[in-house]
Amino acid sequence: MKLEIADGIIKRSLGLMLRKDGIMVFVMPGERRWSIWSAFMLFDIDMFFFDNQKNLIEKSSLKKWSFYIPKKPFMYLIECRKGTLKKEVAKRLLKSI
């Protein structure tokens, strides 16, 4: 499975839209409660939210064509097909980047 870094506005805006699979790490320009919209997604996703110190602060799932606002501000987000990553794997993945 391909891992991609979304660190620019276009990559962050497109995310995993219209893809069949993948893991994407979003690097946001600052820590806040960025909203997530799963428009044009072909599958449900798991989302792992991290603060600016790369500490996991929330894990949630989102159905395709849904909208979500996390409970706390975050700076990093890992999105993947639902059930692909466990919390501990997501933590190690982000810390390795």
Side-chain angles (χ1 to χ4, degrees), residues 2-62:
K2 186 176 179 184
L3 170 71
E4 293 184 62
I5 307 293
D7 54 1
I9 192 166
I10 294 173
K11 286 182 181 180
R12 286 192 307 266
S13 296
L14 294 174
L16 294 173
M17 274 193 239
L18 300 173
R19 298 179 188 216
K20 294 181 180 174
D21 221 340
I23 298 173
M24 189 162 283
V25 177
F26 293 78
V27 181
M28 307 311 265
E31 193 175 63
R32 65 178 240 204
R33 290 178 62 207
W34 301 92
S35 59
I36 309 299
W37 184 36
S38 60
F40 303 103
M41 294 294 291
L42 302 177
F43 50 87
D44 297 344
I45 59 172
D46 281 337
M47 303 175 294
F48 300 87
F49 298 92
F50 297 83
D51 64 17
N52 60 3
Q53 300 296 311
K54 298 185 176 180
N55 297 308
L56 180 64
I57 54 173
E58 183 179 346
K59 189 239 181 225
S60 188
S61 295
L62 187 63

